Amino acid sequence: MSTSPEYATFHFHALHHADQPLLLPNAWDVISAVALAKAGYAAVGTTSLGVAAAHGYPDGRALAEARDATVALALRLNGRLTCPYTVDVEGGFGGDPGQVGDLAAELAEAGAAGLNLEDGLPGGEGLQDVERQAESISAVKERAPGLYLNARIDTHWLADSPPPLSVTLARAEAYLAAGADGIFVPGVVADEEISALVAGVPAPLNILFTPGRHTLSRLAELGVRRISTGSLLFRTALQATLTAADAIRTGGQPTEASGAGGEVLGYEEVQRLVTEEE
């Protein structure tokens, strides 16, 4: 950005308290981030699935290679965007609280305005211990106090039978006490559950946009302060690539394959693509 990193961080915090919720599109490389920034979005995030998969790695496995790719992207974005950017760091890539704090310091030095830290264990093996996750959050705020720390709670993410909202709210309380600036609960789609979270979380609530279930106007009415696209844009781009290639193969034109309203590759399908043997 042309402004100072300190201003970018201040501005990013303020966007979570504006009159309208922050719509945060998630990029997976420099060009997607630059394109989104130039399209006028107030801020840009990264998607851990998109970054990992674009480098040939699965998401959510705490891989050192995914960590390196994430930090490298953050460094390349420094000075390239006209808006603040925040970085998805999975659960800290398997590091202990001190290592997660070191990662936060690296990202702050790279120019990031925030980070997204999840409490799901690598490989979908349940949830991190609340106290351990709170220690990581405290370490982030100690090493990089200016970063906007979005604490992701995975109680409802890829869960067939999520626990009561009281469990989610208890985690939110512990994470905010440890220094988190906002709470992110992906996988929640019902209006009544979102309303309960808004009422029970005394900080900006982040919801993952779900096509066919959410609209920006309705989420705003419910009091959501940040709306993320997650890996949706990356998966949509990948599907559009396949659709355009198929159109050419069958004698058509790629412009006929807009993909608008069509299918989008699923998260698990992308994971399969990057993990299956050649």
Side-chain angles (χ1 to χ4, degrees), residues 94-184:
D96 61 30
Q99 291 170 320
V100 176
D102 291 342
L103 173 59
E106 283 187 71
L107 295 175
E109 183 68 22
L115 62 79
N116 192 75
L117 183 67
E118 63 197 52
D119 64 2
L121 292 172
E125 298 296 327
L127 299 176
Q128 181 65 264
D129 176 77
V130 173
E131 289 74 18
R132 169 66 177 267
Q133 188 71 1
E135 290 177 8
S136 292
I137 290 171
S138 295
V140 168
K141 299 306 289 187
E142 179 179 348
R143 294 295 310 280
L147 287 183
Y148 185 98
L149 197 164
N150 199 41
R152 188 177 112 176
I153 300 175
D154 282 356
T155 48
H156 288 64
W157 185 236
L158 301 179
D160 294 329
S161 300
L165 281 182
S166 58
V167 174
T168 306
L169 290 171
R171 284 182 172 263
E173 181 179 7
Y175 299 165
L176 291 173
D181 298 290
I183 297 296
F184 180 23

Side-chain angles (χ1 to χ4, degrees), residues 47-240:
T47 160
S48 63
L49 174 68
V51 174
H55 288 81
Y57 305 116
D59 179 37
R61 304 290 176 82
L63 298 177
E65 295 88 349
R67 182 195 190 281
D68 292 344
T70 298
V71 174
L73 175 57
L75 286 167
R76 290 197 298 272
L77 291 179
N78 193 6
R80 295 289 299 271
L81 304 183
T82 56
C83 65
Y85 62 96
T86 182
V87 181
D88 186 349
V89 298
E90 298 185 8
F93 300 106
D96 61 30
Q99 291 170 320
V100 176
D102 291 342
L103 173 59
E106 283 187 71
L107 295 175
E109 183 68 22
L115 62 79
N116 192 75
L117 183 67
E118 63 197 52
D119 64 2
L121 292 172
E125 298 296 327
L127 299 176
Q128 181 65 264
D129 176 77
V130 173
E131 289 74 18
R132 169 66 177 267
Q133 188 71 1
E135 290 177 8
S136 292
I137 290 171
S138 295
V140 168
K141 299 306 289 187
E142 179 179 348
R143 294 295 310 280
L147 287 183
Y148 185 98
L149 197 164
N150 199 41
R152 188 177 112 176
I153 300 175
D154 282 356
T155 48
H156 288 64
W157 185 236
L158 301 179
D160 294 329
S161 300
L165 281 182
S166 58
V167 174
T168 306
L169 290 171
R171 284 182 172 263
E173 181 179 7
Y175 299 165
L176 291 173
D181 298 290
I183 297 296
F184 180 23
V185 188
V188 174
V189 296
D191 283 8
E192 58 270 23
E193 290 187 322
I194 294 173
S195 293
L197 288 172
V198 169
V201 175
L205 179 69
N206 184 186
I207 291 296
L208 181 68
F209 182 83
T210 303
R213 297 294 301 272
H214 292 153
T215 64
L216 297 186
S217 59
R218 181 56 179 157
L219 290 174
E221 289 173 0
L222 293 172
V224 174
R225 304 312 309 151
R226 171 165 153 176
I227 302 164
S228 299
T229 62
S231 65
L232 177 61
L233 302 184
F234 171 73
R235 292 182 288 111
T236 300
L238 192 53
Q239 182 67 63

